[in-house]
Amino acid sequence: MAAVDRPSTKHWSTVHDLLQNLAARPRWAAIALLDLCLAVYMPGVMRLPPVDRTEVVYAETTRDMLARGALTDPRYGVVVHQFRPIGTYWAQALSATLAGPSHARDITVYRLPGLIAVTLSVLALFWLATPLIGTTQALIAASLFAVAPLTVLLSQLAITEGLALLPATIAMLALLRLYASDTSTATRRIALLFWFAVGFGVLLNALQTPILIAATLIALYIFDRDLAWLKRTRPRMGVPLALLIASPWLIVRTLQDGVPFAGLGFKEFLEALGGSQDMKLRAFPGTFVFAMLLGFLPGTALLAPALTKLWNDRDAKLARFLLAWTLGYLVYLEAISSKPGTYSVQVLFPALALAVAMLVTSDDGKMPPPKFHAFPWPPLAALFALVLFAAPYAALREFPPLWIAPLIAAVAALFYWSAHEGRLGHLTRWALSGTAALALFAVTLLGGVLPSIDKIWPARQIQRFVATSCDPGTRFGLLGFREPSANFLLQADATGQSPEALVASQSDVQIVERRWLDRYTAELAKRGEKLGSQYGCLNAYNVMRGCALSFAVIGQGVSEADRCFKLPPTSCDAALAPDFAAKACD
């Protein structure tokens, strides 16, 4: 079944020669993939402030578990999330323990396990697919997988889906190896790898990985009418192993619930088993297909011809399995799943990347563009990149820092180049330039553009203001911002905020959102107190709720002699109206 990489010739392009030379050295190819992942993922992981809400809930839950010394009792405040397995909390707890108490509120610490898992998923695709399709194709597939926008998204957030991508990828590729092999080559090691991955998949994200496997097997049975090959997985040995690895989830549920999942309705129980995330509303038809197409760039440009080729070649085991993997799980997502598309479709990307890579290298890399391709007109591709960067700045009426402008221009140029190579039929060059374009796009957006827009990070704005304007140890209270980041980053109660609680707190600095000023002032009057000096005004934007925020920073408990603030008192009356177009929070 293994494909043999063609040797380079003098007629091939320099780019293709370089790719072939790298693929001829698998260890160096793996190092190149590792470098690619770290270069793309690290800037956003380190520079993005806490992104509400789910990742902050995970991080704060883990931090609280460590603070209480209760590693089998994950809870956010008083809320117990029965549908979230324990594995992610333990992985984050290990990272936080290694980082030390001084980094307990550093979101990067809690993101590192996801970054490592996504990186290992990319390497797993390369290593496990190489015996089936050859190093060149596996290298291209892993590169496309690594830079796909929704793959990058999982590497940036402290959520379980990033970690769960690793066992899902390993389990499916191991199953592919077992399916595509005959009984003489099916190895005990691959079967063990499969069941290890299944067990850890359950420990991290409930039944997402088993559901992915089941959906694929159902689709394969429709193709083959035969599941006898499943004995190669050695289920008598593997099922107990997987259950043993996954058992801590049920043990924790028993400790917390008495009866695991007690109190969940049947529908809630079924939805919980599909993974830790859950949508409040049922997705519109086509939501997951749309997320797959948009999130798999640049590979989306060749997705239609790649899937067509798989269908035409479905007599081959590899083609049938990749089709079953893609179609089986996509049908499940569209018909049954209640999970967000942006966190669900990434487990399809290894199959899609393999299909595209097999199409790219099926000739000498210089053939006419295949039918049904989606390579855009190059100027339109460049414009698309520019619009993506311009949109957040335009919405908030800000200008990008000067140092970001050359990066944005470089991304637009790479988008242009990639589309140009694709339309000429230089598919290998398209794959490499497309990888470079999406890699630099991710670095620029997540490491530069978004962190540079202060208004979309209210908690960071408040934290910076207090740190630069007040002496260390100044106590402050918050009213009117209830996102989880207020709890994690500012150590402010995100649920129990009220004028009464704030006034009673006797904090030195009180930060009040403009909607609450009248009620806050009225509560002060009840206690015979007057509104303190206003030392600053902060305009922000709550991205999670899509609304404007305006804060007055009040030195309520600070005497003039304390000289806490480095800024003179001011009036926030005029400044409290947001200076950008947005609706106010309700």
Side-chain angles (χ1 to χ4, degrees), residues 154-430:
L154 291 190
S155 74
Q156 305 295 288
L157 303 178
I159 59 176
T160 198
E161 281 71 20
L163 284 90
L165 184 62
L166 177 59
T169 300
I170 291 177
M172 292 302 294
L173 291 171
L175 190 64
L176 169 58
R177 291 275 294 273
L178 294 170
Y179 173 75
S181 304
D182 56 37
T183 54
S184 63
T185 59
T187 65
R188 178 187 179 92
R189 183 176 60 183
I190 295 297
L192 277 174
L193 183 63
F194 170 74
W195 289 110
F196 265 107
V198 171
F200 279 107
V202 174
L203 184 64
L204 289 167
N205 203 17
L207 297 189
Q208 182 206 38
T209 296
I211 289 172
L212 173 63
I213 293 168
T216 302
L217 292 178
I218 292 171
L220 270 180
Y221 182 76
I222 294 174
F223 283 126
D224 295 345
R225 302 293 178 180
D226 177 27
L227 293 178
W229 62 273
L230 283 175
K231 63 185 180 183
R232 300 173 201 166
T233 65
R234 304 173 186 257
R236 291 183 180 179
M237 166 195 69
V239 171
L241 176 63
L243 291 175
L244 178 64
I245 295 172
S247 61
W249 181 30
L250 289 180
I251 293 173
V252 170
R253 291 272 47 83
T254 301
L255 291 175
Q256 288 193 311
D257 305 340
V259 176
F261 310 108
L264 289 181
F266 182 70
K267 182 176 182 293
E268 294 173 322
F269 175 70
L270 291 179
E271 291 176 347
L273 293 181
S276 66
Q277 297 291 344
D278 191 45
M279 288 189 292
K280 294 181 180 179
L281 300 174
R282 187 75 180 94
F284 289 105
T287 295
F288 297 97
V289 173
F290 178 75
M292 179 185 74
L293 294 176
L294 190 61
F296 185 58
L297 294 171
T300 303
L302 283 181
L303 197 53
L307 293 178
T308 300
K309 186 175 185 296
L310 288 182
W311 183 261
N312 294 334
D313 296 341
R314 63 187 181 277
D315 289 340
K317 284 187 173 181
L318 177 58
R320 286 202 303 276
F321 190 95
L322 295 180
L323 280 173
W325 183 346
T326 302
L327 300 178
Y329 195 63
L330 198 55
V331 168
Y332 158 76
L333 289 175
E334 290 288 356
I336 299 174
S337 178
S338 63
K339 309 306 170 187
T342 50
Y343 297 150
S344 303
V345 298
Q346 289 88 341
V347 294
L348 298 173
F349 289 179
L352 303 180
L354 289 173
V356 171
M358 290 162 61
L359 179 65
V360 166
T361 56
S362 61
D363 207 328
D364 65 0
K366 294 188 292 185
M367 55 185 177
K371 290 178 63 177
F372 312 120
H373 73 81
F375 296 122
W377 183 45
L380 187 61
L383 179 62
F384 175 68
L386 293 175
V387 169
L388 290 178
F389 288 123
Y393 287 116
L396 298 172
R397 298 180 183 175
E398 290 199 2
F399 290 96
L402 290 179
W403 66 269
I404 289 181
L407 293 176
I408 294 176
V411 173
L414 285 171
F415 270 62
Y416 182 100
W417 179 33
S418 178
H420 176 71
E421 296 292 356
R423 291 175 74 88
L424 289 178
H426 299 165
L427 299 189
T428 302
R429 292 183 181 180
W430 162 81

